[in-house]
Structures are given as structure tokens and as C-alpha cells.
């Protein structure tokens, strides 16, 4: 499940900034007599986070530090660099609402190092695992205030077939779901800096908007709500392969016909 408002990331867990997930309670198993309240939280996607090695950037602006993350040596980079905890409110503009049953998201958040644009959040069912939603023969509803989401901006709530633990593997990726790793979607995004425990440094194009690497990360996607105050869309995006896969070339849809 992802919430994308519309980026440094690594795969080791950092220790410089504590990671504290904002609360987001939900209602489940609703009947005529009421609903159960279930405690959950949200985590920020790793692609938004600071990646560092001994307090120094592994990725700055749109470029990798070639001293630690050289072109094509994704495994060494992933094992050297750490993804840090997030200052959710101060850096990313993410807070729990007053009832702690939803989140407030700012599109632009200015901070001491510059400005952050957008965010992507996942629902957690614990400190180290994403919540898996099983919706067959069930209803899923949400309320969204779009009064400050004008034409030209896009808010989104959608499901993707990510690994429950964020592709944690104990070596290249020790950060895992707690730090928002393991993203994929049906567009097979190439702008992810780390995929399956390796840095996406091979053929990294720093002048592309957004910057992209050689590999993509594919999985099925179900867009429940993509919208602003003027329009909304509901769209399924199936994939030919189950689960989350690392792809390149036409397997990512690049230059593929149809």
C-alpha cells in the first residue's frame, strides 16, 4: 500500500537520526454495530532519505559520490552507505492528524538544508514490516481533503506488490521496511537508487529528470485513488511476473511495443 504525494537512499540502517513512524489508526471489520480500531503507522520511502557514510553524503543533488559508489559497483555501495531515519515533520512535512487516524502531507517543506518536495509513505503493521491488505470480498474506503490539491498536482493512494519486509537480506539491505526500502510499481521505475540490496549506479544518468539508473523495479499496481481537486482516476496495472522483480531493457517496458 502506498501513499504518494510527489529524492538519497541506501540499504544499511543509519544511527544518526532516530526513526519514529507517525501513528495512523484504522478502522477494520466494520459491521452495523461499528468497527474495530487497529493501530498502525506510516513510514517514508527510502528514496527520499539522507544516505551517508561516516556523516558524508553518498549521493548529492543528482550524483553519486564516485569514491564510495562508483558506476556499476552497486553491491559495495549498498554495503558501505547507510540510510538515515527521517525528521518527518521538519524535513518532509508529514504529521499524524489530531485524531491520529490519518496523516497531513505538505507538498513543499523548507528546512535548514533546502526544500523537500512531496513524499511517499507505506502503512506498517509493526516496526519492521509493511501491512498486507487482503481485500477480496471486502470494502476499502478513505477520506481525503483535496481542497489544497489544485490542478497540476497529483495525490495517490494505491497498492503495489512489495515484499512485506522491504527486501531485507541481512547484507546489502539491512534497513528493510523500517526505513521504507523495496519499492516497486507497474511502471518499473528506474529512479530508485537501490534495488534488491544493490545500488542502481550502473549507467546512472544524473541529467535525466528524474535521474535514473540502468535497472528498474517492477510489480503489479492497483491505483485506488489518483486525483486532485478537479479529477480522479481508478486504474489497475497488472504485471506478467508475480511479486517484485529487478528488470532491465525491454523487461522493464523500455522500447517494448504495445
Amino acid at each position: 500500500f502506498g501513499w504518494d504525494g510527489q529524492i538519497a537512499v541506501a540499504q544499511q540502517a543509519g544511527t544518526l537520526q532516530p526513526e519514529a513512524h507517525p501513528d495512523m489508526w484504522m478502522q477494520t471489520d466494520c459491521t452495523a454495530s461499528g468497527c474495530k480500531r487497529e493501530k498502525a503507522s506510516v513510514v517514508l520511502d527510502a528514496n527520499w532519505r539522507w544516505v551517508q557514510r561516516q556523516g558524508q553524503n553518498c549521493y548529492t543533488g543528482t550524483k553519486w559520490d564516485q569514491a564510495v559508489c562508483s558506476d556499476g559497483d552497486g553491491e559495495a555501495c549498498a554495503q558501505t552507505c547507510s540510510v538515515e531515519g527521517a525528521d518527518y515533520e521538519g524535513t518532509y512535512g508529514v504529521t499524524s492528524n489530531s485524531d491520529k487516524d490519518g496523516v497531513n502531507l505538505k507538498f513543499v517543506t523548507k528546512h535548514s538544508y533546502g526544500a523537500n518536495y512531496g513524499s511517499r509513505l507505506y502503512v506498517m503493521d509493526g516496526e519492521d514490516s509493511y501491512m498486507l491488505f487482503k481485500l477480496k470480498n471486502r470494502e476499502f474506503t478513505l477520506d481525503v481533503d483535496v481542497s489544497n490539491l489544485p490542478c497540476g498536482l497529483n495525490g495517490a493512494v494505491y497498492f503495489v506488490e512489495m515484499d512485506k519486509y522491504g527486501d531485507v537480506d541481512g547484507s546489502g539491505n539491512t534497513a528493510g521496511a523500517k526505513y521504507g526500502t523495496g519499492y516497486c510499481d507497474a511502471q518499473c521505475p528506474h529512479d530508485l537508487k537501490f534495488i534488491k540490496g544493490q545500488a542502481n549506479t550502473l549507467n546512472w544518468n544524473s541529467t535525466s529528470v528524474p535521474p535514473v539508473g540502468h535497472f528498474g523495479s517492477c510489480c503489479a499496481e492497483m491505483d485506488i485513488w489518483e486525483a486532485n481537486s478537479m479529477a480522479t482516476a481508478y486504474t489497475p496495472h497488472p504485471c506478467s511476473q508475480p511479486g517484485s522483480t529487478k528488470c532491465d531493457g525491454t523487461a522493464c517496458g523500455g522500447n517494448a511495443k504495445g
Side-chain angles (χ1 to χ4, degrees):
F1 174 86
W3 181 293
D4 185 6
Q6 247 321 277
I7 302 190
V9 51
Q11 299 284 279
Q12 306 302 310
T15 59
L16 301 182
Q17 170 72 42
E19 175 65 16
H21 302 143
D23 290 337
M24 191 182 75
W25 288 75
M26 298 186 297
Q27 294 181 327
T28 62
D29 300 326
C30 295
T31 65
S33 59
C35 303
K36 296 179 182 178
R37 280 175 55 82
E38 181 176 352
K39 188 179 188 301
S41 61
V42 295
V43 64
L44 179 74
D45 185 289
N47 226 37
W48 266 255
R49 297 171 181 263
W50 178 35
V51 185
Q52 58 83 26
R53 176 180 178 268
Q54 300 177 352
Q56 301 298 313
N57 294 344
C58 291
Y59 184 93
T60 303
T62 62
K63 298 181 179 180
W64 293 99
D65 180 349
Q66 292 297 307
V68 291
C69 295
S70 59
D71 185 9
D73 194 1
E75 184 175 352
C77 179
Q79 293 178 352
T80 300
C81 296
S82 299
V83 58
E84 281 298 328
D87 178 356
Y88 280 83
E89 182 174 8
T91 302
Y92 302 103
V94 176
T95 57
S96 299
N97 67 11
S98 58
D99 295 323
K100 295 190 180 298
D101 61 356
V103 289
N104 302 313
L105 307 179
K106 291 183 179 179
F107 180 61
V108 180
T109 304
K110 295 182 179 180
H111 51 81
S112 58
Y113 298 101
N116 175 75
Y117 296 89
S119 56
R120 185 162 60 215
L121 306 174
Y122 311 123
V123 179
M124 305 288 287
D125 67 359
E127 278 295 298
D128 301 301
S129 58
Y130 299 130
M131 181 173 289
L132 302 185
F133 289 78
K134 299 180 180 181
L135 297 180
K136 185 176 181 179
N137 297 325
R138 303 181 73 184
E139 182 180 273
F140 176 83
T141 64
L142 67 151
D143 295 312
V144 185
D145 179 0
V146 297
S147 59
N148 292 311
L149 195 62
C151 188
L153 293 180
N154 177 60
V157 174
Y158 57 101
F159 296 101
V160 290
E161 202 176 358
M162 292 165 60
D163 177 70
K164 180 178 176 67
Y165 300 101
D167 288 329
V168 67
D169 62 11
S171 58
N173 181 354
T174 63
K178 182 177 181 178
Y179 291 86
T181 67
Y183 182 70
C184 58
D185 66 35
Q187 284 70 50
C188 305
H190 288 253
D191 64 335
L192 301 179
K193 298 177 184 70
F194 289 80
I195 301 173
K196 298 292 185 182
Q198 294 188 357
N200 198 13
T201 56
L202 181 63
N203 300 329
W204 186 260
N205 184 349
S206 62
T207 62
S208 172
V209 181
V212 294
H214 178 78
F215 296 102
S217 183
C218 297
C219 65
E221 173 185 347
M222 181 68 228
D223 296 340
I224 300 296
W225 178 85
E226 279 196 293
N228 54 38
S229 59
M230 304 298 292
T232 186
Y234 171 87
T235 316
H237 297 282
C239 278
S240 59
Q241 300 294 323
S244 171
T245 60
K246 183 178 181 179
C247 68
D248 66 343
T250 57
C252 296
N255 300 318
K257 296 181 179 180

